[in-house]
Every structure is written in C-alpha cells, then in structure tokens.
Amino acid sequence: MFQKLLLLLALVLIYCSNKNSAIITAIGFSILGYFVTNFLIPKVGPSFIKIGLFGKDLSKPGKPVLPETIGAVSAIVYLFVVLSYIPFIFYKYMVVTTSGGGERGNVIPSHEESLNSTIFPHDRLCEYLSSILCLQSTILLGIADDLFDLRWRHKFFLPITGSIPLLVIYYVDFGVTYVLIPGFIQRWMQLTASTIDLGGLYYVYMAAMGIFCPNSINILAGVNGLEVGQSIVLGILELLNDTLYLTLGSKQARAAHRFSAVLIIPFLGVSLALWKWNRWPAKVFVGDTYCYFAGMVFAVVGILGHFSKTILLLFIPQILNFLYSCPQLFKIVPCPRHRLPHFNEEDGLMYPSVANLKDEPPKSWFIPILRLLNCFKLIQLEFDDKDKSKIISCSNMTLINLTLVWFGPMREDRLCNRILQIQFLIGLLALFARHAGGAMLFGHDNLWT
Amino acid sequence: MFQKLLLLLALVLIYCSNKNSAIITAIGFSILGYFVTNFLIPKVGPSFIKIGLFGKDLSKPGKPVLPETIGAVSAIVYLFVVLSYIPFIFYKYMVVTTSGGGERGNVIPSHEESLNSTIFPHDRLCEYLSSILCLQSTILLGIADDLFDLRWRHKFFLPITGSIPLLVIYYVDFGVTYVLIPGFIQRWMQLTASTIDLGGLYYVYMAAMGIFCPNSINILAGVNGLEVGQSIVLGILELLNDTLYLTLGSKQARAAHRFSAVLIIPFLGVSLALWKWNRWPAKVFVGDTYCYFAGMVFAVVGILGHFSKTILLLFIPQILNFLYSCPQLFKIVPCPRHRLPHFNEEDGLMYPSVANLKDEPPKSWFIPILRLLNCFKLIQLEFDDKDKSKIISCSNMTLINLTLVWFGPMREDRLCNRILQIQFLIGLLALFARHAGGAMLFGHDNLWT
C-alpha cells in the first residue's frame, strides 16, 4: 500500500515537473529508480551466480554464497533514469526560448535568462551528456574488473580511463583552469591577481579526483552495507550542501548546484534500493562496479560544478582511512591478505582482525610510532606475556578495525551503522568548516556572491 | 617494418590534422585503433576463456575451443578512439571562433561559417556525444547478452534500449520529423507541401532502425569472419556514399556526411583488426556485442545524418536474408536449432545444411511454394527415392546455405568471401539506384542541391 502511494507520488511529481523545476523531476525519477532497482535485484541474482559472479560472506555462520556485482544493476538503472529524464529537464526550456524546427542549436538564450530559469538551458546539455558518458565508461570498466578480477595496479588506474570523456569535454567546452587564491596568501605574496591559472596541472588534478573518489569507496569496504551506506551518506551530505546553495547562493552557484542535485537525487534512489539488499544480513554483494560508479558520480559532480575541493572535504573519512592504511599498504607493518574484521561464530560479534608481528616484525623504526598510536588508542597492540616489550600482533590498520578498537566488539550491522554515523558527523563538520572557513580564507564565502 | 611505417603515418596524420580536416584525424586514429585492437585481442583471449566466454568452432576438424565475445575489445577500443579525438575535431574551430574563458558555449558561429569549416562547429558536439552514448549503451547491453545468454525475445528488443540516448537527443536537439514526399505522389495526390510530418511515427521508425540494424548483422552469421566481413563491406559502401557527398554535395549534405565518415573510418580500423583474428581459420569469435555495436554504428550514422533510408538500402542483403528466413522463423517450414552449413571433415568443404521434412512436414499450402523456389534454384529439395512427389528435406533458408546451393560446396573462407562479394555488388547497385532513382522520384537528387 505504502509502496503504491510512493509510486503514485513519483508519477505525480514527474507529471507536475513540466511546470516546475528539474529538481522535482529528479525526485520523481529517483523514486521510480528505487522501485525498478528493488524489483530487478532479486530477479537477476541467480543469473549472476550461474555465470560465476558470486562470493562467500565470511562474517556469517556457514559462510553463505551470495551473488556478487549486483551494484551493476543499480548503476545501469541509474543510467536509464538520467537518460530518460533529459527531455523533462531540458525540453520545456527549449520550446519556450527557441523557434524549433531543427535549428534549435542556433538559438541561444541570454546568459541571464538561463541562470534565472529552473529548467536547464541548452548549453548544459553537453555537460550533462559527458557526465553520463563518463559514468557509463566507469561502469563498463567496473564490470571488466568484476569479470576478469584485474590486478591491483590495473584496478587502481582503471577509473582514470573512465574519466577521459569528462576531461575531454571539460577541455573543449570550459577550459577553466584557474583557481582562487586565499586572501592571506594574496596579501602575503603581494599578488595582484586573485586567481592562479594551473593550466595542464588542473587536468592532472581532475584526473586524480577520478582515481581517488572511486578507489577510496572501494577501499573502505568489507562489512555488509558499508560501500552503499557510505555512498548514501556522501550523497546526503552533498545534497545538504546543494540545498544551501540553491536557497542562499548566487545565480551562478545555483545553476552548478542544481546540476549536482539532479545527478545525486536519482543516485540516492538506486542506492537505497541496493542498500535494502546489501545491508546486514546481506543478500547480495555490490562488487567493484558500484564502488567505482558511486565514486565517479561525486567526482563528476565536483569537476563539472567546479567545487571539487568541497567534494574532497566530504571524503575526509575515506582519506583518513587511506592514510591510516598506508603503513600496511607500503609494507612497513606486515599486511595480511584480508584485513576484514574477524567474525566470532560463538557470540556473533565482530572483533578487530590482527596482523601477526611475531613471525614478521614491522620495520624497527616504526615500532615507537606503533606504541604511540597504542597510547592514543589508535591501534590495538598485543604484547608477549613473558617479554612485555615485545609486540606479537597489532590490529589491522583500517577504519573498520579502528572503530572496533574504540567501541569494542559489536554485531556487523551496528558496526556499519557506527562507521556511517562517524562519517556523517565528520562530513557535517567539514561542510561547516568549509563555509565558515571559506569566508575567512578567501575574504568571502562564495555562497553569497 | 611495414607496421612501423603505418604507425608513423598515423601519428603524422594526427599531428597534421590540426591544420586540415576532421577526416584526416579520423584516418590517423583509425590506424592507431587497428594497432591497439590487434595488440589486445591475443592478450585477452585466454582471460575470456577462463571466465567461460568461449565456444566451439563446429566447422573445423576436432572442433577447437575459441574465445567468444572478442568483438567487445574492438568495440571498446572504438569508444576510446572516438572519445579521444574529440579535441582534435572540435577544438581548433573553437579557439578560432570563440573568446574562450569558460563561456564558449555562449558564442555561436554563424550557420554559414560552420558549414564552410572542415572542422566541426560546437553545436555538433551534442550530436557526437549522444552517438557515443548510444554506442556505449549498445555495447553494455551486448555484453549483458553475451554473459547471460538472454532469451530470443529479450535479445530482439535489447538494442532498442541502447538507442534511447539517441532518440532523446534527437527529440531535444533536432525534432525534425518530416520526410520528403516523392514528386509523383505530390502530383498524384495534388499536394501543395513537398514534405510530410510524421511526428511520433518518426521516432517509431528510428527505434525500428535501432532494432533492425543490430539484429540483421547478428542473423547473417555462422561462418568464420562473416559478421565482421559484412560490417566492413557496409562501412566501405557507406564511405563511398560519403565520399560522393563530400566531393559533390551541398554544404549541408557535406556536414552530415563528414559526421558519418568521422564515425565510420575508425570503425573500419578496429573491425579490420578483428577481421584479422576472426577470418578463416578463426582464432576468436566476435560475439553478439560486436554485431549489435556494428549495426548500431550504421543506425546512428543514418539517424543523425538524416539519411537512414540510404542506410537501409545498404542493408538489402541482410533484409533479403531475413525475408528468406521467415518461413522457418515462423515455423511454416520446420526449423532445426542450428542452421549453420554442414562441415564435411573428409573433404574439408561446407555443404548446405538441411531441415528434415520427412518426420515433420511443412505446412501443406507451402509445399507448392517450396517446389517453385526449387525450380528457380532458390532452395535445394531432396525427394524420396520411391515416391518422387515426396520431399524429404530442404536446405535451410539462410543466405549462407543459398550461396552453397548456387555455387556448390566450398571451403569456409571461400564461402565467406563469396557472400561478401555478393553483398558488395548489391550495395553498389543500391547506391547507384539511389542516386539515379532519387533524382527521378523527388525531382532532384539531394546530392547537388
């Protein structure tokens, strides 16, 4: 009953959207996307298992076999949604402002007019298409990864090839490669210009975004629902930021953030459906495809909206997770093949997993640092019973294990929720700092200019 | 040595293309695409076999196992090529005619100017992006088909979902839904208008193109190299047609056919590399992905260039193959599961395969038609030794078997080449008829107006 009402609401929103804004269309289609994804996931699961796309859930009694790569379903539904609402978010505007008849591309609305409208102007279509193209490339590469189980070094650079369409369009269509210089640096270095042109470096920076966002979601994983959960939290935070700009921002900022919201709202729809199936106790696994896709959504939004630094702020938990992992990634501390938390079948709780330091000691210069981290409860060390100065194991260096060190053993779903709460809190603080701090650094917050 | 020279030529062409036309860039990138595809195919083959993407070559002694779906490699290289030369074919123009600095979308060249230039104007970028998007969707769906081995009725309608981006962009960006009315109909029905607006029907027609082209290539298959071979022949024919327009056509026609050539030239590059591996004796199979992709390239070119009827003329052999197959497809004549020609291990030749009409007779009203077809050597019937009026088998109704009926048993490579020759000949005649006949039907051939 509730589902039917929701579906009806979606249709009403889509119908009404002709007279209203692109955001309302997005909400309608997002609800539709939720239902379609939710319908498809249980249907396709067995086919995925049949062709070998499955994995064992190691944190459950009996280690059940679950279909893998199901996130590809969400991703493909997302593509259909963002493709099929192009006419809704672009068409009305065109009918009103152009003469029609095959030469629409030649009639261009005034810039002022296009910023005022709540529907997108035509010159946004290229941007929009290149975003979809970039996401679709990422999905294609993600599927290749899930199918062929690529090597780590291929995996790492894979998303960058997906971002080629975006960079190319940015180059052809915008070419804006300058960034603002904070006020205090301007004064300090006695600069007359308030911006600096990064040139080619800006493309390197954008490509780095395209590598970082997808991989960082892929790395913070291993607990039922965490990949999707963190993507949903990221989406909500970004949507909060968009709402801020859409209600208080300048016209220019409004256009960029409307674009962002229009891409993120349906992303939340398909992700929530996936979350329903992937949360504890998981019935499906999401696969690398989803992680790459989700990360790329944020990279795309940040790059085309020209607020990629704000996006990076939202990724602070993922960045911390990466930095925290470095000693193990670079083999300073031995790194076991799997660093998932340890599941105890007896009490059904998750415990921090450990790296054995007895047989394979860490680099000697790093031992004092390990002890220091232990003092601040940033790691859990186990000492030899006889020789208290000898470390025999340390908890694996991931945010997941750290959460277990802090809050003690807990059930998998509580662990996931706790991590998501921390992520949400950090994100809120980051957004606050960005708007309060931005005003200080640049002399003004671009929210109101 | 020859390869290195060719590669050097490609780089020179790409370098020079800044000063010349988009076509030259396309040729340069096409050669690069050939080398990359040719390099990748043998590398990835074993991985494809490992994840279960393989098939048996039934027309070889010992039925060797070959990797399947290798056409996906060509398709993905093609995507990279057409994405990475966007700056080359669009950028120079933009630098010259716009002020730059992030507002390029707002500066619009005069229509006249954009038609004169040999580089594409900005308003073509949306078209171009939507073509790539459409092809990428098709590839994604083709891969799903190859992986999950979809049912026939799903397969059939699959390509239409791939063409959604194209139709949406056509709707938003062109909206031209009228077609020319032939002169004699105008006079006959005493019409004042020379065009008729098909409205929504035009979209149905375009969607039908999106179903027909991919499936028709998929149906004319079963002999080493035939899928790729026929796509290459189609590409060459279309390129001939483009050359005709580019040298003799009006400015408007030139722009449309430059667009077509720019998409088809790299298609030929990646297809030739695939052909090298797929031709007799095949070392790889192409898979449905390639067939859908190849068909969609032609559908896209026809739809966006607004010359889809000419494209259909080039598909006459595929149309004939489909019509000829109908009695078996609609079960008027029994249809065995496989209709591939029969391979005789003793002499290494291919023979027409037959449908058994003894146990399962055809519909009785169709028997006279079968006899008539037999008279014209359009089918091969086998009669009962005792009762000459009783048909015990007929050759399967495909163009491949018909070729064997006409020209006698032959080796697989000769069979493929013979079919391609026939296809090329029919295509040439169709193009000739189109330009000679178009002038008669419409009062003028649009080549010179």
Side-chain angles (χ1 to χ4, degrees):
Chain A
M1 186 59 199
F2 173 69
Q3 294 215 334
K4 277 181 192 160
L5 273 178
L6 209 58
L7 207 56
L8 193 71
L9 173 70
L11 296 176
V12 169
L13 285 178
I14 292 169
Y15 178 75
C16 292
S17 61
N18 256 335
K19 303 178 208 99
N20 290 289
S21 84
I23 306 276
I24 293 180
T25 320
I27 295 173
F29 271 95
S30 176
I31 298 173
L32 273 187
Y34 173 86
F35 281 107
V36 174
T37 313
N38 189 33
F39 170 79
L40 284 177
I41 288 177
K43 295 258 169 203
V44 301
S47 312
F48 275 64
I49 292 183
K50 213 166 122 194
I51 63 164
L53 292 171
F54 59 80
K56 279 186 178 172
D57 192 341
L58 301 175
S59 312
K60 299 284 175 306
K63 299 181 181 170
V65 166
L66 302 181
E68 177 67 273
T69 322
I70 293 294
V73 177
S74 291
I76 287 171
V77 171
Y78 178 83
L79 284 180
F80 275 104
V81 165
V82 291
L83 278 174
S84 41
Y85 72 36
I86 292 179
F88 292 86
I89 57 178
F90 288 95
Y91 193 65
K92 177 205 154 193
Y93 183 80
M94 318 200 68
V95 172
V96 175
T97 57
T98 72
S99 55
E103 299 293 341
R104 288 176 192 170
N106 290 340
V107 184
I108 278 293
S110 75
H111 198 57
E112 189 60 16
E113 194 179 354
S114 82
L115 291 175
N116 273 329
S117 170
T118 53
I119 300 286
F120 284 110
H122 184 209
D123 51 350
R124 291 253 156 190
L125 189 55
C126 271
E127 271 179 55
Y128 189 84
L129 289 180
S130 68
S131 313
I132 304 178
L133 208 48
C134 171
L135 293 174
Q136 203 172 43
S137 306
T138 307
I139 293 169
L140 207 55
L141 294 165
I143 290 175
D145 181 15
D146 275 328
L147 279 178
F148 296 110
D149 220 352
L150 301 177
R151 263 173 261 164
W152 196 79
R153 64 166 186 275
H154 292 158
K155 262 172 136 80
F156 186 76
F157 289 103
L158 211 55
I160 201 183
T161 43
S163 62
I164 288 178
L166 200 67
L167 298 187
V168 166
I169 301 306
Y170 194 91
Y171 178 66
V172 171
D173 214 24
F174 293 84
V176 185
T177 54
Y178 57 80
V179 289
L180 284 179
I181 305 173
F184 73 93
I185 294 185
Q186 274 179 54
R187 282 187 295 278
W188 180 48
M189 299 187 72
Q190 301 187 322
L191 296 173
T192 47
S194 63
T195 61
I196 182 170
D197 193 350
L198 293 181
L201 277 182
Y202 197 80
Y203 290 91
V204 177
Y205 165 69
M206 288 193 291
M209 281 283 292
I211 295 182
F212 168 74
C213 295
N215 278 303
S216 66
I217 291 182
N218 208 8
I219 288 174
L220 185 52
V223 173
N224 282 179
L226 189 56
E227 294 98 326
V228 196
Q230 66 178 306
S231 307
I232 292 174
V233 170
L234 281 168
I236 292 172
L237 287 168
E238 174 51 31
L239 219 50
L240 277 179
N241 189 38
D242 290 338
T243 314
L244 211 62
Y245 279 97
L246 282 171
T247 46
L248 300 171
S250 67
K251 279 176 188 169
Q252 202 107 30
R254 269 209 303 253
H257 285 273
R258 193 176 307 122
F259 184 80
S260 154
V262 155
L263 285 180
I264 291 207
I265 291 169
F267 172 73
L268 284 177
V270 299
S271 294
L272 282 169
L274 184 60
W275 160 259
K276 185 182 152 189
W277 293 91
N278 181 237
R279 74 174 176 206
W280 188 89
K283 284 167 203 77
V284 302
F285 287 133
V286 298
D288 293 345
T289 311
Y290 178 80
C291 299
Y292 290 153
F293 156 69
M296 202 52 106
V297 168
F298 295 102
V300 162
V301 158
I303 290 173
L304 286 187
H306 217 71
F307 51 89
S308 47
K309 291 178 295 296
T310 311
I311 292 284
L312 281 183
L313 284 179
L314 300 181
F315 274 86
I316 286 178
Q318 283 82 3
I319 297 174
L320 291 178
N321 182 51
F322 175 73
L323 292 178
Y324 185 57
S325 289
C326 278
Q328 285 198 311
L329 292 183
F330 296 112
K331 310 276 180 208
I332 297 167
V333 174
C335 180
R337 200 165 145 56
H338 290 291
R339 302 191 298 166
L340 304 179
H342 172 71
F343 174 65
N344 187 339
E345 284 216 18
E346 276 160 36
D347 56 10
L349 301 184
M350 308 293 282
Y351 290 81
S353 66
V354 295
N356 184 343
L357 302 189
K358 208 169 167 185
D359 307 336
E360 208 183 334
K363 297 255 183 297
S364 57
W365 61 267
F366 198 73
I367 294 177
I369 301 178
L370 278 180
R371 287 179 186 278
L372 195 70
L373 287 174
N374 190 39
C375 283
F376 289 103
K377 224 189 159 187
L378 286 169
I379 202 165
Q380 199 169 52
L381 297 182
E382 198 187 341
F383 296 96
D384 197 19
D385 279 343
K386 293 159 199 163
D387 179 5
K388 284 286 177 196
S389 69
K390 209 177 163 200
I391 307 170
I392 57 170
S393 80
C394 75
S395 60
N396 280 315
M397 295 162 155
T398 68
L399 211 59
I400 302 174
N401 284 311
L402 186 60
T403 311
L404 288 170
V405 169
W406 282 344
F407 300 98
M410 55 182 112
R411 216 172 61 188
E412 199 175 358
D413 54 336
R414 303 234 169 83
L415 171 60
C416 179
N417 289 342
R418 183 55 55 90
I419 298 171
L420 296 183
Q421 283 157 11
I422 296 172
Q423 186 202 353
F424 190 67
L425 210 67
I426 296 179
L428 275 186
L429 286 174
L431 279 185
F432 178 75
R434 186 246 168 280
H435 289 290
M440 288 199 305
L441 274 182
F442 296 104
H444 60 85
D445 185 2
N446 60 3
L447 197 54
W448 294 281
T449 54
Chain B
M1 185 62 200
F2 173 70
Q3 294 215 333
K4 276 180 192 160
L5 273 179
L6 209 58
L7 207 56
L8 193 70
L9 173 70
L11 296 176
V12 169
L13 286 178
I14 292 169
Y15 177 76
C16 292
S17 61
N18 257 334
K19 303 179 205 98
N20 290 288
S21 83
I23 306 275
I24 293 181
T25 320
I27 295 173
F29 272 95
S30 176
I31 298 173
L32 274 188
Y34 173 87
F35 281 108
V36 174
T37 313
N38 188 34
F39 170 79
L40 284 177
I41 288 177
K43 295 258 170 202
V44 302
S47 313
F48 276 65
I49 293 183
K50 212 166 122 193
I51 63 164
L53 291 172
F54 58 80
K56 280 186 179 172
D57 192 341
L58 301 175
S59 311
K60 299 283 175 307
K63 299 182 181 169
V65 167
L66 302 182
E68 177 68 271
T69 321
I70 293 294
V73 177
S74 291
I76 287 171
V77 171
Y78 177 82
L79 284 181
F80 275 106
V81 166
V82 291
L83 278 174
S84 39
Y85 72 37
I86 292 180
F88 292 86
I89 57 179
F90 287 96
Y91 192 67
K92 177 204 154 193
Y93 183 81
M94 320 202 67
V95 171
V96 174
T97 58
T98 73
S99 56
E103 298 294 342
R104 289 176 191 169
N106 288 341
V107 184
I108 280 292
S110 76
H111 199 56
E112 189 60 18
E113 194 179 354
S114 82
L115 289 175
N116 272 328
S117 172
T118 53
I119 300 285
F120 285 110
H122 184 209
D123 52 349
R124 291 253 157 189
L125 189 55
C126 270
E127 270 178 56
Y128 189 81
L129 289 180
S130 68
S131 312
I132 305 179
L133 208 48
C134 171
L135 293 174
Q136 203 171 43
S137 306
T138 307
I139 293 169
L140 208 54
L141 294 165
I143 290 175
D145 181 14
D146 274 328
L147 280 178
F148 296 110
D149 221 353
L150 301 177
R151 265 173 260 165
W152 197 78
R153 65 166 186 276
H154 291 158
K155 261 170 136 78
F156 187 77
F157 288 103
L158 211 56
I160 201 183
T161 43
S163 62
I164 288 177
L166 200 67
L167 298 187
V168 165
I169 301 306
Y170 195 91
Y171 178 65
V172 170
D173 214 24
F174 293 83
V176 185
T177 54
Y178 57 81
V179 288
L180 284 179
I181 305 173
F184 73 95
I185 294 184
Q186 275 179 53
R187 283 187 294 276
W188 178 48
M189 298 186 75
Q190 300 186 325
L191 296 173
T192 47
S194 64
T195 62
I196 182 170
D197 193 349
L198 293 180
L201 276 183
Y202 196 80
Y203 290 91
V204 176
Y205 166 68
M206 287 192 292
M209 281 282 291
I211 295 181
F212 169 76
C213 295
N215 277 303
S216 66
I217 290 182
N218 208 8
I219 288 174
L220 185 53
V223 173
N224 282 180
L226 189 55
E227 295 98 324
V228 195
Q230 66 178 306
S231 307
I232 293 174
V233 170
L234 281 169
I236 292 172
L237 288 169
E238 174 51 30
L239 219 49
L240 277 179
N241 189 39
D242 289 339
T243 314
L244 211 61
Y245 279 96
L246 282 171
T247 46
L248 299 170
S250 68
K251 280 176 187 170
Q252 202 106 30
R254 269 209 301 252
H257 285 274
R258 194 177 306 122
F259 184 82
S260 154
V262 155
L263 285 180
I264 290 200
I265 291 170
F267 172 74
L268 284 177
V270 299
S271 294
L272 281 169
L274 185 60
W275 159 258
K276 185 183 153 188
W277 293 91
N278 181 238
R279 74 175 175 204
W280 188 89
K283 283 168 203 77
V284 303
F285 287 133
V286 299
D288 292 344
T289 311
Y290 179 80
C291 300
Y292 289 153
F293 156 68
M296 200 53 106
V297 168
F298 295 103
V300 162
V301 158
I303 289 173
L304 287 186
H306 218 71
F307 51 88
S308 47
K309 291 178 296 297
T310 310
I311 292 285
L312 281 183
L313 283 179
L314 300 182
F315 273 85
I316 285 178
Q318 284 81 4
I319 297 174
L320 290 178
N321 183 51
F322 175 73
L323 292 178
Y324 184 57
S325 289
C326 278
Q328 287 197 309
L329 292 183
F330 296 112
K331 311 275 179 209
I332 297 166
V333 174
C335 181
R337 197 163 148 55
H338 290 290
R339 303 191 298 167
L340 305 179
H342 171 73
F343 174 65
N344 186 339
E345 284 215 21
E346 276 160 36
D347 57 9
L349 301 183
M350 308 293 283
Y351 290 80
S353 66
V354 295
N356 185 343
L357 302 188
K358 208 170 170 184
D359 306 337
E360 208 183 335
K363 297 256 182 299
S364 57
W365 61 266
F366 199 73
I367 293 177
I369 300 177
L370 279 180
R371 287 180 186 278
L372 196 69
L373 288 174
N374 191 37
C375 284
F376 288 103
K377 224 187 159 190
L378 286 168
I379 202 165
Q380 198 170 53
L381 297 182
E382 196 189 342
F383 297 97
D384 197 19
D385 278 343
K386 295 160 198 161
D387 179 6
K388 284 287 178 196
S389 69
K390 209 175 162 203
I391 306 170
I392 57 170
S393 81
C394 75
S395 61
N396 280 315
M397 294 162 156
T398 67
L399 210 59
I400 302 174
N401 284 311
L402 186 60
T403 311
L404 288 170
V405 168
W406 281 345
F407 300 98
M410 57 182 112
R411 214 171 63 186
E412 199 175 359
D413 54 336
R414 303 233 170 82
L415 171 60
C416 178
N417 289 341
R418 184 57 52 91
I419 297 172
L420 296 183
Q421 284 157 10
I422 296 172
Q423 185 202 353
F424 191 66
L425 211 67
I426 296 179
L428 276 186
L429 286 175
L431 279 184
F432 178 76
R434 185 244 168 281
H435 290 290
M440 287 199 306
L441 274 181
F442 296 104
H444 60 85
D445 185 3
N446 60 3
L447 197 55
W448 295 281
T449 53

